[in-house]
Amino acid sequence: MRKRLTEKQDKEEGEEVRRRSLKKKTELQRRRLLEIKAKSDAAGRIQAWWRGTLVRRTLLAAALRAWIIQQWWRGLLWRRGCALRRGLLQIYAAEELGAVRLQSWFRMWQCHRSYGRLRGTGCLSRDPQSGFRFQIQEAPQDPQDPRALQPPQAQRPGGAKDPEFRVEILSV
């Protein structure tokens, strides 16, 4: 019986050894699997970080390119606006210059006409006894009369020259 017990014990011990061995193997396998999983997780985190870095780098490059294009476009629009304003200013200046010239010519014509009327109506002559004498002649009353625009011819005693009339017009 003792032998049987020993055999039985041996069997039980063998099974116990097998169980321990199996338990060690499974524990070892479980540890290896955990290590592999930990390494795999770490590799996944590193890959995710790298992919994120690449995406952020690509997005940054795209944003910079978009900013460059926007700056170019805004500059182009600004230059077009400046050119348009400059053109409008030149047109305005040309119109103003034309208006100023037209007004100048009209005033000159008025002065010339007024001078012609004065020249025809009054003559300044030298009177030897009293100094200067002012002679008045009748001017035509009808403004539509062509003689109204041209002064009557007056003779000055002593062959005096016509007074000089000088107008200076300065344009800016």
Side-chain angles (χ1 to χ4, degrees):
M1 231 174 120
R2 258 184 157 206
K3 265 191 170 181
R4 276 189 171 192
L5 269 179
T6 359
E7 278 182 34
K8 200 176 182 185
Q9 282 177 345
D10 282 343
K11 233 183 194 185
E12 284 178 9
E13 281 180 20
E15 283 181 29
E16 185 70 28
V17 169
R18 263 187 289 142
R19 265 189 261 138
R20 280 187 206 154
S21 166
L22 187 61
K23 197 174 183 183
K24 282 183 181 178
K25 283 182 183 178
T26 56
E27 183 66 28
L28 191 61
Q29 286 177 348
R30 190 175 68 80
R31 283 184 187 167
R32 284 182 185 160
L33 285 175
L34 286 175
E35 286 178 13
I36 291 172
K37 187 175 179 190
K39 287 181 182 180
S40 176
D41 287 346
R45 284 190 197 123
I46 292 170
Q47 288 173 354
W49 170 81
W50 182 247
R51 280 193 304 264
T53 303
L54 290 178
V55 167
R56 282 188 293 278
R57 186 185 303 166
T58 304
L59 288 176
L60 179 63
L64 287 175
R65 288 183 183 116
W67 180 74
I68 289 169
I69 291 169
Q70 288 170 354
Q71 291 299 320
W72 170 79
W73 181 248
R74 289 177 186 147
L76 181 72
L77 289 179
W78 184 78
R79 284 189 296 276
R80 280 184 186 173
C82 285
L84 178 65
R85 282 190 296 275
R86 190 179 309 115
L88 291 174
L89 184 61
Q90 287 174 347
I91 290 170
Y92 173 76
E95 288 175 353
E96 285 296 312
L97 181 63
V100 167
R101 281 187 181 166
L102 187 62
Q103 290 169 359
S104 168
W105 291 340
F106 180 75
R107 287 188 190 117
M108 180 60 130
W109 175 77
Q110 281 181 326
C111 288
H112 186 69
R113 195 172 112 203
S114 173
Y115 169 72
R117 284 184 182 165
L118 269 174
R119 196 173 125 217
T121 58
C123 292
L124 202 63
S125 65
R126 178 101 166 108
D127 189 15
Q129 293 161 354
S130 65
F132 285 102
R133 178 174 60 144
F134 194 65
Q135 297 174 349
I136 306 246
Q137 296 178 355
E138 290 293 320
Q141 298 298 323
D142 186 16
Q144 300 298 327
D145 188 12
R147 289 181 297 153
L149 296 176
Q150 295 188 5
Q153 297 295 323
Q155 294 291 329
R156 296 212 169 127
K161 293 182 180 177
D162 285 339
E164 290 184 14
F165 184 73
R166 183 173 167 181
V167 175
E168 291 184 20
I169 298 175
L170 303 173
S171 62
V172 179

